[in-house]
């Protein structure tokens, strides 16, 4: 088994080190910051991204679902190394850890991995605020966003329909919702 050799132990030690004691080396941090900012700017220039973000704002008004989960270029530019380290210290702790293991790993090796990780993480726990339930506006709305194409050879019209239907995955109607969504053009 690959887990009985030294590579497994080295991999676990590395996982524990980067999870529990990241060093936020300034050069590496700036490289990551630049990659994230470039990614966000590319996304923001795409009509389909603007459409998706604005569609959620249109359906859910001011709920946190309306915020881009990737953040914004301005928020990534302004966050400090210390803010990241402080957040990590509070949120990346044993009490908030949820770990899923799948593959050729014995129960003993899995328990050792989890124990090593939990022992290395801080005990403190950041209490995350409860997220209010998303409530659609229940008003038919039309959203029109003009965005010129950067490529004159490409059509840049993107159309999206949003039906604010409150069906949870455990609901017996959920499979029908998934299939209807696929039939109307969604894709995995």
């Amino acid at each position: 088994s690959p887990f009985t050799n030294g590579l497994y132990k080295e991999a676990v030690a590395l996982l524990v080190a980067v999870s529990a004691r990241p060093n936020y080396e300034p050069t590496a941090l700036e490289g990551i910051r630049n990659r994230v900012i470039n990614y966000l700017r590319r996304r923001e220039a795409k009509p389909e991204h603007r459409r998706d973000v604005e569609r959620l704002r249109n359906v859910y008004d001011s709920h946190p679902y309306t915020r881009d989960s990737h953040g914004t270029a301005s928020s990534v530019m302004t966050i400090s190394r210390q803010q990241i380290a402080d957040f990590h210290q509070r949120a990346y702790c044993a009490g908030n850890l949820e770990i899923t293991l799948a593959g050729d790993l014995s129960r003993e090796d899995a328990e050792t991995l989890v124990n090593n990780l939990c022992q290395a993480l801080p005990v403190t726990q950041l209490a995350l605020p409860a997220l209010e339930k998303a409530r659609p506006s229940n008003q038919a709305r039309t959203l029109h966003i003009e965005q010129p194409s950067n490529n004159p050879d490409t059509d840049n019209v993107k159309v999206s329909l949003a039906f604010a239907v409150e069906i949870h995955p455990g609901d017996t109607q959920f499979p029908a919702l998934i299939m209807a969504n696929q039939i109307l053009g969604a894709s995995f």
Side-chain angles (χ1 to χ4, degrees):
S1 166
F3 301 106
T4 57
N5 66 30
L7 288 178
Y8 171 72
K9 290 180 181 170
E10 289 177 25
V12 169
L14 181 59
L15 174 65
V16 169
V18 298
S19 299
R21 297 177 300 281
N23 66 7
Y24 307 108
E25 197 276 321
T27 303
L29 186 59
E30 286 311 308
I32 292 169
R33 182 189 315 268
N34 288 334
R35 281 198 314 268
V36 171
I37 289 169
N38 288 334
Y39 167 76
L40 290 170
R41 286 184 176 152
R42 282 192 312 273
R43 276 176 45 104
E44 290 165 2
K46 293 180 178 181
E48 58 270 23
H49 169 71
R50 288 196 52 213
R51 176 207 59 208
D52 292 346
V53 169
E54 293 302 325
R55 180 187 63 222
L56 287 173
R57 283 189 188 127
N58 205 31
V59 172
Y60 292 108
D61 296 322
S62 62
H63 190 273
Y65 283 175
T66 65
R67 296 185 200 120
D68 188 345
S69 62
H70 291 88
T72 63
S74 62
S75 67
V76 172
M77 281 190 274
T78 60
I79 193 162
S80 72
R81 179 184 183 278
Q82 191 59 52
Q83 287 173 302
I84 297 167
D86 290 347
F87 178 80
H88 178 273
Q89 183 66 29
R90 290 189 323 268
Y92 285 64
C93 59
N96 285 341
L97 175 65
E98 182 172 318
I99 188 166
T100 303
L101 302 169
D104 186 15
L105 189 64
S106 72
R107 181 168 187 91
E108 181 183 338
D109 287 337
E111 288 175 356
T112 299
L113 170 62
V114 171
N115 288 334
N116 288 347
L117 196 49
C118 286
Q119 288 172 4
L121 291 169
V123 177
T124 60
Q125 183 173 352
L126 173 65
L128 299 174
L131 186 61
E132 66 186 69
K133 184 177 179 186
R135 301 222 183 268
S137 64
N138 292 326
Q139 295 178 10
R141 297 178 183 177
T142 300
L143 178 63
H144 177 236
I145 303 169
E146 289 191 28
Q147 180 168 338
S149 175
N150 293 332
N151 183 349
D153 298 328
T154 305
D155 292 334
N156 69 335
V157 176
K158 306 293 180 182
V159 177
S160 175
L161 303 176
F163 295 93
V165 180
E166 291 189 62
I167 298 179
H168 300 280
D171 191 302
T172 57
Q173 294 182 16
F174 191 74
L177 171 67
I178 295 298
M179 290 304 295
N181 195 37
Q182 292 302 308
I183 291 165
L184 291 172
S187 61
F188 288 111

